[in-house]
Amino acid sequence: MLDERFRPLLTRRSSLRTRWLPVIHFGVDAAVWTIALLASTWMRLDFEAGRIDWGGLGIGLVLVLIFQMFYGYATGLYDRRWRYGSFEEAVALAATIGLSGLSLAIFVLVRDPLILPRSVPFTSSGFALAGAMTARSMWRLAKTRHVRPVEGEPLVVVGAGSASYQILRMLLGSPESAFRPVALVDDDPLKNRYRIEGVRVEGTLDELGEVAQANGARTVLFAIPSADGQVVARVDGLCRAAGLRLQVL
């Protein structure tokens, strides 16, 4: 039976669903575009700031931000359709910046006189994508480290599959979690030293007692929903022999 301390985590909703979050996201992307356009233009003009057409650069920046907002909402980047820092958001971000840069390039090419060097929309798109990806990765890394529980009871998880991935994300994504995963065990030799959310596979099922003892854990979570009764009975026997408390997901 699953400990009741797990249940609030199974129904927890993200605390970041606020009205102002898309504005912050767009603000970050706007700052990245500003730096990218300025840097690309400066490089294209041989690092001579005096040759920059600041009026044209300002027009180009306003246009690309309008394109970014339009395509961003079209792809779901700014309406919270994707989780911040996820792979799905990365795809939407790449599409948004790519389309915004292409639209700016078309405007620059058809307008006479030029407001920006012809190559700038393309090079700045690459810089903007790299900068926006970096900003999201840093934010997600900082958030992950901030919310990880530090005082929860040490927990060893049996299984290193998709179920373990989900439970580790929930447990490690909640600072008030009563449990703190410290190690995984799995019989698959290909998963030796495999990591999920920074938690490493430290042994096989037969080494469950040693792994728990090495990490100061007294509780084990069985996270292999597809396992048959024999496997569950085996793990139960190992836990009994080592004096460990077993929870079954």
Side-chain angles (χ1 to χ4, degrees), residues 74-243:
T75 60
L77 190 62
Y78 300 128
D79 64 0
R80 294 177 292 184
R81 192 180 306 173
W82 314 117
R83 183 181 178 187
Y84 195 62
S86 66
F87 174 77
E88 292 82 2
E89 192 203 38
V91 174
L93 178 65
T96 299
I97 290 180
L99 290 170
S100 299
L102 180 61
S103 298
L104 178 62
I106 293 173
F107 181 86
V108 168
L109 291 174
V110 301
R111 193 179 188 277
D112 187 26
L114 289 173
I115 59 172
L116 291 169
R118 292 181 177 87
S119 63
V120 165
F122 301 102
T123 56
S124 62
S125 295
F127 290 152
L129 181 58
M133 289 285 194
T134 300
R136 282 161 169 76
S137 298
M138 293 177 62
W139 180 91
R140 186 169 183 178
L141 179 61
K143 175 180 177 294
T144 299
R145 291 182 174 179
H146 176 71
V147 301
R148 290 205 167 200
V150 293
E151 298 181 354
E153 178 183 341
L155 177 76
V156 175
V157 179
V158 176
S162 58
S164 297
Y165 175 74
Q166 294 295 331
I167 194 67
L168 260 65
R169 284 189 63 182
M170 287 188 287
L171 292 174
L172 295 174
S174 174
E176 67 274 10
S177 173
F179 294 95
R180 176 172 52 88
V182 292
L184 296 156
V185 294
D186 197 293
D187 278 344
D188 187 348
L190 296 178
K191 293 181 179 178
N192 183 33
R193 309 188 74 82
Y194 180 69
R195 289 181 182 269
I196 298 178
E197 296 291 311
V199 181
R200 185 166 61 88
V201 175
E202 297 190 6
T204 63
L205 267 61
D206 289 333
E207 298 171 315
L208 177 58
E210 292 86 344
V211 171
Q213 183 178 13
N215 289 277
R218 304 304 304 165
T219 303
V220 172
L221 176 65
F222 188 87
I224 311 177
S226 60
D228 56 30
Q230 291 183 341
V231 178
V232 178
R234 175 188 170 196
V235 173
D236 182 55
L238 291 169
C239 288
R240 290 178 185 274

Side-chain angles (χ1 to χ4, degrees), residues 33-48:
W33 264 117
T34 302
I35 296 172
L37 270 178
L38 180 59
S40 297
T41 305
W42 184 52
M43 291 172 61
R44 175 63 182 82
L45 298 176
D46 299 323
F47 305 100
E48 296 180 16

